[in-house]
Amino acid sequence: MKSENIYKVMVFTFLTAFIFGGYLLENVGIKYVSEGGNPLVKIHISTYILMLTFAIFTLRKGFKTPIINLKELSTAWLISLLSIIFVIFYGLYTSGMSGIAYLVNTMISPLLAIYLLCQLSTHHKGKLLSLFAYLLFFNAMIAILEFTLGKTMVSVEFANFSFFRSSALLGFPLNNALITAALAPILMSYTRIPYLIYFTVVTLALFAFGGRAATAIFIFGMLFLIMPKIPRFIKSGFHTSKMRFAIIQALAFFAFIFTTLIITLTPIGARILSKLHIDKSAEARFNVYILLDELTPIEWVFGASSAFKQNIDFYIGINVIENYIIGWVVNFGLIGTFLLVFTCYSIPSKLMTRSNIKLNVALIVFILVSVTNNALTTKTPALLFLFSVMYLSRAIESKTKI
């Protein structure tokens, strides 16, 4: 299978993962989010594409050559794959089919994506990064438009939200916020859109998604990126043509006017002012730690009993655990949680580098945002996108297959 063919498959995979969110599938009659239905339907089409391509490619090339192309990621990749397989079998033993689609969609798909992406040429990797960058910007624009009109593009109702949140293409608002805040620091340099415009649109979109913590963490992450450049700018400035400087001034003025109009003429301004405090949504993220006090020593190690899981709302007032780490402890115990954390972060941590600080900031933003919302407690392409974008950016930077 040539690089061109894998590239086409990956484009289709990322487009389906980005566009066909869970609520869009529900609207066309596929029970992807709601309870009940065939367990096989709970696995996203993008994951099926990755599994099929992985199987075909491995049968043709064998397992050794693709693993060699992973180079320093190969050991982490193999251990991560074995870890998630172990957790899946443990979940089948303790809870049956419940939650297995979550593990396959959220954990297996990013590992398969990395396996296939390492076979691409540098040219195709760059094109995929540009695709990601424009998709993220387009999704942010949709979010702002939805919030301005007070209507989502895809028919969806969130019973646990007391105010409107944009759902855009990625469905669940907090899932949008996690993916947008984490990937924007990397992707904004892979489009022809000026940084200031990209940053402004992303920031407003984060408010539209209702991700207060995501917005704050994203802004601090961007400040961390530009801080090293400030002393150099103060000392020597920068050299540019008069025309380019005029264009930069015009874009800055346009961004300021655009932001002012959006904040004053749309509900986003009211959202910003009304959400600068700890409300019930934020309290739920603190109350979830009560569950840890209620677990027995055996449940800490092997996961909570079914009776405990059925009475979660008795302890914290809601039946949703809005912290994925605690959710993993409750469902899989400390052993399973350790394996899942390793699967999530071993490969991204290997991709961190001193020369590309954007990757480091993106991973830190992802970790901090993920513990402030419950996006990773449900099926999400967040890790698929994080693994892929970090890998592609690192590979392009080094100009070699890593």
Side-chain angles (χ1 to χ4, degrees):
M1 187 175 285
K2 298 180 180 179
S3 175
E4 179 70 25
N5 295 329
I6 297 177
Y7 166 74
K8 292 177 180 178
V9 170
M10 296 309 295
V11 168
F12 185 67
T13 299
F14 292 139
L15 286 176
T16 53
F18 211 102
I19 296 172
F20 292 99
Y23 295 102
L24 179 59
L25 295 177
E26 288 283 335
N27 288 339
V28 298
I30 300 175
K31 283 196 169 185
Y32 181 77
V33 178
S34 59
E35 296 182 2
N38 191 327
L40 296 177
V41 179
K42 302 293 184 179
I43 299 176
H44 199 272
I45 182 175
S46 61
T47 305
Y48 279 119
I49 295 170
L50 287 171
M51 290 191 294
L52 179 61
T53 309
F54 170 83
I56 294 173
F57 185 80
T58 304
L59 287 174
R60 289 186 179 181
K61 295 289 185 179
F63 198 65
K64 184 177 180 180
T65 301
I67 291 296
I68 291 175
N69 287 339
L70 282 167
K71 293 194 175 179
E72 68 262 32
L73 299 179
S74 58
T75 301
W77 187 88
L78 284 169
I79 297 176
S80 296
L81 185 63
L82 293 175
S83 297
I84 192 60
I85 290 174
F86 175 85
V87 175
I88 287 175
F89 278 106
Y90 182 73
L92 286 171
Y93 173 75
T94 58
S95 306
M97 291 298 294
S98 177
I100 300 305
Y102 159 70
L103 294 174
V104 173
N105 279 298
T106 306
M107 305 290 180
I108 292 289
S109 60
L111 296 176
L112 300 182
I114 288 290
Y115 178 90
L116 295 171
L117 289 174
C118 73
Q119 320 304 324
L120 293 175
S121 66
T122 302
H123 171 68
H124 287 139
K125 290 173 182 176
K127 292 177 70 175
L128 280 176
L129 262 183
S130 295
L131 173 66
F132 268 118
Y134 283 108
L135 279 175
L136 195 75
F137 183 81
F138 181 61
N139 189 65
M141 290 293 292
I142 291 175
I144 295 172
L145 182 61
E146 285 182 339
F147 202 86
T148 302
L149 299 177
K151 185 177 181 180
T152 58
M153 185 174 65
V154 178
S155 178
V156 58
E157 292 184 5
F158 303 112
N160 55 334
F161 293 147
S162 58
F163 51 87
F164 181 84
R165 296 190 190 215
S166 299
S167 59
L169 295 176
L170 293 170
F172 194 70
L174 297 181
N175 187 45
N176 274 282
L178 174 61
I179 293 171
T180 302
L183 300 188
I186 299 176
L187 294 176
M188 63 175 57
S189 61
Y190 291 98
T191 70
R192 295 182 179 273
I193 302 168
Y195 288 1
L196 185 59
I197 300 297
Y198 204 107
F199 171 80
T200 301
V201 170
V202 165
T203 304
L204 292 174
L206 289 172
F207 279 113
F209 295 137
R212 291 169 296 178
T215 307
I217 294 169
F218 168 71
I219 292 174
F220 278 114
M222 293 304 300
L223 288 174
F224 185 80
L225 278 178
I226 65 174
M227 278 177 61
K229 301 178 181 179
I230 294 176
R232 185 175 60 185
F233 173 76
I234 295 174
K235 182 179 179 180
S236 58
F238 65 95
H239 298 282
T240 186
S241 64
K242 292 181 179 180
M243 178 61 71
R244 186 179 180 186
F245 183 68
I247 293 173
I248 292 174
Q249 285 183 309
L251 289 174
F253 179 75
F254 172 77
F256 175 76
I257 295 298
F258 175 74
T259 305
T260 302
L261 290 175
I262 290 294
I263 291 177
T264 56
L265 300 180
T266 72
I268 289 183
R271 165 67 55 79
I272 295 172
L273 293 175
S274 64
K275 291 299 168 183
L276 297 178
H277 65 279
I278 297 178
D279 57 7
K280 290 184 178 180
S281 177
E283 288 177 1
R285 288 159 175 76
F286 292 105
N287 292 339
V288 73
Y289 292 95
I290 297 174
L291 295 175
L292 298 179
D293 292 331
E294 302 298 331
L295 292 174
T296 65
I298 296 297
E299 289 176 327
W300 265 95
V301 178
F302 299 106
S305 63
S306 57
F308 183 95
K309 296 176 186 176
Q310 293 172 1
N311 290 283
I312 288 175
D313 58 339
F314 172 77
Y315 297 109
I316 60 176
I318 58 175
N319 60 358
V320 177
I321 302 176
E322 296 195 348
N323 183 301
Y324 69 100
I325 297 293
I326 295 177
W328 290 348
V329 172
V330 170
N331 287 295
F332 305 107
L334 286 177
I335 297 175
T337 299
F338 173 79
L339 295 176
L340 290 174
V341 170
F342 182 87
T343 302
C344 281
Y345 297 117
S346 60
I347 290 179
S349 63
K350 289 281 187 180
L351 293 170
M352 296 175 72
T353 172
R354 292 182 180 180
S355 59
N356 192 343
I357 195 172
K358 293 182 295 184
L359 300 182
N360 306 345
V361 170
L363 180 57
I364 293 171
V365 169
F366 184 90
I367 293 172
L368 294 177
V369 174
S370 66
V371 297
T372 65
N373 66 40
N374 60 339
L376 279 183
T377 60
T378 58
K379 290 177 288 186
T380 171
L383 288 172
L384 169 64
F385 295 155
L386 178 73
F387 279 38
S388 300
V389 169
M390 288 190 68
Y391 172 81
L392 292 170
S393 180
R394 172 75 182 278
I396 289 175
E397 174 206 320
S398 62
K399 302 296 183 182
T400 58
K401 292 181 178 180
I402 59 175

